Amino acid sequence: MSATSVASPAAGGVVPSDSVRALQHTLYRAAKADSGRRFHSLGDKIMRSDVLRRAWVQVHRNQGASGVDRITVDQVNEYGVTRLLDELATELREGRYRPLPARRVWIPKPGTSEQRPLSIPAVRDRIVQAATKIVLEPIFEADMCDCSFGFRPKRSAHDGLQVLVDEAWRGRRWVVETDIANCFEAIPHDRLMQVIEERVCDQSVLKLLRVMLRAGVMTDGVVRRQVTGTPQGGVLSPMLANVYLHQVDRVWDMRRYGVLVRYADDVVVMCRSRQQAEDALAYLRVVLAELGVTPKASKTRIVHLVEGGEGLDFLGFHHRWVRSQRRSVTKGITFLARWPSDKAMAHAREVIRGVTVRSRMLLPVSAIVESVNRFLRGWAGYFRFGNSSARFATIRDYALMRLAGVIAKRHKRSRGYGRSVVFYSSDNQLGLISLEGIIYAPRPFRAWQKKPNAGGERPR
């Protein structure tokens, strides 16, 4: 094995990762050096064996459900990864590749009664999408603005959240909040392709993107092909949405309208006055209308961050201007605090309730506790970068209460018996992890990470 390769038996063998990284760095540097350059030789790079292999590794890592062909990631392993990748490379080289329609499913939105459409491409199509993203993302990343944080390499939700803390401290406490209605479903294909063609002129790649956009979705056995939308759930969709919405970022005048913070289709603008906030909202509506999308009316408003006033929800947190009550030199200082939003709390309870339901009573208690712990680690890993102590205690108490119910039902006893086992008969409360001492409260103009490689991805 060479020094530039890594072994990954489950993913189908050796992955030449350094060659792919070098390709991405070369494309990024070329795009960064010349903002007007159009790339005309990219198709051959998408079908490279090392690029397709890296794409497979990413798809394998993410697992995910099967598409309309019902072929799973495990079945691809049985079929032969190299065999499938060679077939895809041949289809791409000969121009015969045609994606299958994505399978449409509906998933609940956390904390609401609404449902979100999710489109699941076939595994083979996810591989081709991932390979296309590997090649195209560095080119478009070179153009992206600092105000964009969602689904971008080396950027996270917490980077965007830190901007709110910094700008509120600077005095920008009039906030426009909104999100784009049905963003992934509303982006016009023709106008999206026009934006892509500003950087890409390779006809084989443009044709590939068009067939991906036109593949459609299958609902109840019927295939629907729209002229708008990058179906949510596709590997390429977040990048394509960012490329399209970059048109908002690049025309935004911070001095005139305030500081824009965009995480995919979620948007806030930090302003110094109500008038500036109203101007920013009016301008945002105009820009989005020119792109063929609109703000969601129910989530669009102007909020004044002031002590005793209302706050706003953004990226899973509730943000509110509060006064410090700590007995220290900071007592009496006002600042922008944040903690898990009501929707985030409702989602946490829903997940914990789901892993402690009666239908799982036959499992060992240790297995149920581990399921709860697994969720809490991820949930708390995101929300610990906030003023979340009280809400962490609430969620952990809820988990203990649900575990007490599990014990009571297993022994056909009262809930009081279950509580006595959890709180008094167990030395470590059945092994449920503690959420104390992990909070890292944000500070203005300080890096949000307590230590390198701390969690920061937005929970799905």
Side-chain angles (χ1 to χ4, degrees):
M1 183 183 298
S2 69
T4 59
S5 301
V6 292
S8 181
V14 176
V15 184
S17 60
D18 286 356
S19 61
V20 176
R21 191 176 298 113
L23 169 64
Q24 290 181 304
H25 287 172
T26 300
L27 291 171
Y28 177 84
R29 287 195 298 267
K32 198 71 174 177
D34 184 356
S35 60
R37 176 172 176 174
R38 299 176 73 208
F39 290 77
H40 63 276
S41 181
L42 297 174
D44 60 319
K45 296 171 178 59
I46 293 175
M47 63 186 73
R48 272 173 40 169
S49 60
D50 55 346
V51 172
L52 287 170
R53 177 71 63 172
R54 167 67 69 81
W56 160 250
V57 170
Q58 293 176 359
V59 171
H60 183 274
R61 183 186 302 123
N62 293 332
Q63 290 293 314
S66 59
V68 294
D69 59 359
R70 296 296 177 180
I71 295 176
T72 65
V73 170
D74 290 338
Q75 288 174 318
V76 170
N77 272 319
E78 294 174 6
Y79 179 79
V81 175
T82 301
R83 178 182 175 188
L84 176 62
L85 298 184
D86 288 345
E87 291 173 358
L88 288 174
T90 300
E91 291 181 23
L92 289 167
R93 188 177 303 109
E94 297 176 356
R96 296 187 292 106
Y97 171 76
R98 293 295 181 273
L100 296 170
R103 181 166 63 90
R104 171 59 55 86
V105 297
W106 294 86
I107 60 174
K109 287 187 176 182
T112 71
S113 58
E114 299 179 49
Q115 289 192 316
R116 174 187 295 128
L118 189 66
S119 302
I120 305 175
V123 173
R124 67 191 304 273
D125 296 331
R126 298 208 291 270
I127 296 171
V128 175
Q129 287 189 30
T132 305
K133 181 183 177 185
I134 286 170
V135 173
L136 294 185
E137 186 173 58
I139 296 171
F140 291 107
E141 181 63 24
D143 297 330
M144 292 292 173
C145 299
D146 290 340
C147 62
S148 171
F149 296 92
F151 306 108
R152 291 182 56 194
K154 298 182 180 180
R155 308 208 96 193
S156 73
H158 284 289
D159 293 323
L161 291 167
Q162 185 63 41
V163 175
L164 270 64
V165 174
D166 295 346
E167 296 305 324
W169 189 260
R170 286 190 174 109
R172 291 187 173 95
R173 296 173 196 161
W174 287 91
V175 185
V176 177
E177 63 164 328
T178 188
D179 71 7
I180 300 170
N182 302 316
C183 175
F184 286 87
E185 304 291 324
I187 295 175
H189 291 172
D190 55 345
R191 299 179 66 176
L192 171 61
M193 292 305 301
Q194 289 174 9
V195 177
I196 291 172
E197 288 171 14
E198 292 179 9
R199 276 301 206 172
V200 178
C201 59
D202 186 324
Q203 292 302 314
S204 66
V205 174
L206 296 175
K207 178 183 176 182
L208 176 61
L209 290 172
R210 288 189 182 100
V211 298
M212 287 177 178
L213 291 172
R214 294 172 183 167
V217 295
M218 180 175 287
T219 307
D220 299 327
V222 179
V223 177
R224 294 179 172 83
R225 292 182 171 87
Q226 306 290 340
V227 296
T228 63
T230 57
Q232 195 165 1
V235 178
L236 260 179
S237 293
M239 188 201 78
L240 294 178
N242 265 338
V243 169
Y244 193 68
L245 294 177
H246 171 64
Q247 297 175 95
V248 177
D249 307 340
R250 68 186 182 185
V251 301
W252 193 262
D253 186 338
M254 184 184 75
R255 292 185 178 180
R256 184 175 179 183
Y257 297 114
V259 176
L260 177 72
V261 180
R262 183 176 66 80
Y263 191 98
D265 56 345
D266 288 336
V267 178
V268 299
V269 186
M270 307 293 289
C271 304
R272 291 194 179 275
S273 66
R274 183 175 189 89
Q275 184 59 55
Q276 188 181 44
E278 290 174 350
D279 292 344
L281 179 55
Y283 182 62
L284 187 61
R285 292 184 193 275
V286 170
V287 174
L288 292 178
E290 291 174 351
L291 298 181
V293 294
T294 58
K296 185 179 292 184
S298 62
K299 293 190 176 181
T300 301
R301 62 179 184 148
I302 295 174
V303 177
H304 188 198
L305 296 175
V306 61
E307 187 180 356
E310 61 181 336
L312 71 146
D313 290 351
F314 184 57
L315 301 183
F317 283 93
H318 179 73
H319 306 259
R320 186 169 296 194
W321 195 256
V322 301
R323 184 175 297 275
S324 174
Q325 301 298 319
R326 297 177 64 181
R327 295 182 179 179
S328 68
V329 294
T330 64
K331 185 173 182 180
I333 292 177
T334 55
F335 64 99
L336 184 65
R338 65 172 183 248
W339 51 79
S341 67
D342 290 343
K343 287 184 179 180
M345 296 289 285
H347 174 62
R349 292 189 185 95
E350 181 182 343
V351 173
I352 294 170
R353 187 163 55 247
V355 298
T356 55
V357 292
R358 183 182 295 271
S359 60
R360 305 189 82 221
M361 290 300 103
L362 295 180
L363 293 175
V365 174
S366 59
I368 297 175
V369 172
E370 180 52 36
S371 295
V372 176
N373 283 344
R374 191 179 304 116
F375 167 74
L376 288 179
R377 287 188 190 100
W379 189 83
Y382 178 80
F383 287 109
R384 75 189 187 96
F385 295 97
N387 312 86
S388 306
S389 298
R391 295 217 158 188
F392 274 20
T394 299
I395 287 301
R396 191 174 187 278
D397 287 346
Y398 180 78
L400 287 171
M401 183 269 289
R402 292 294 302 182
L403 290 175
V406 169
I407 297 295
K409 290 171 185 174
R410 285 174 69 91
H411 293 274
K412 298 181 180 180
R413 303 281 294 273
S414 68
R415 189 173 291 273
Y417 170 79
R419 285 196 294 269
S420 68
V421 171
V422 169
F423 288 101
Y424 304 113
S425 300
S426 172
D427 294 335
N428 61 352
Q429 296 182 329
L430 301 179
L432 187 71
I433 62 172
S434 172
L435 300 182
E436 294 182 1
I438 66 171
I439 303 298
Y440 182 58
R443 296 288 186 270
F445 317 117
R446 294 186 188 177
W448 60 266
Q449 299 98 329
K450 189 172 184 179
K451 55 185 177 180
N453 302 321
E457 292 303 315
R458 187 182 181 186
R460 301 291 186 263

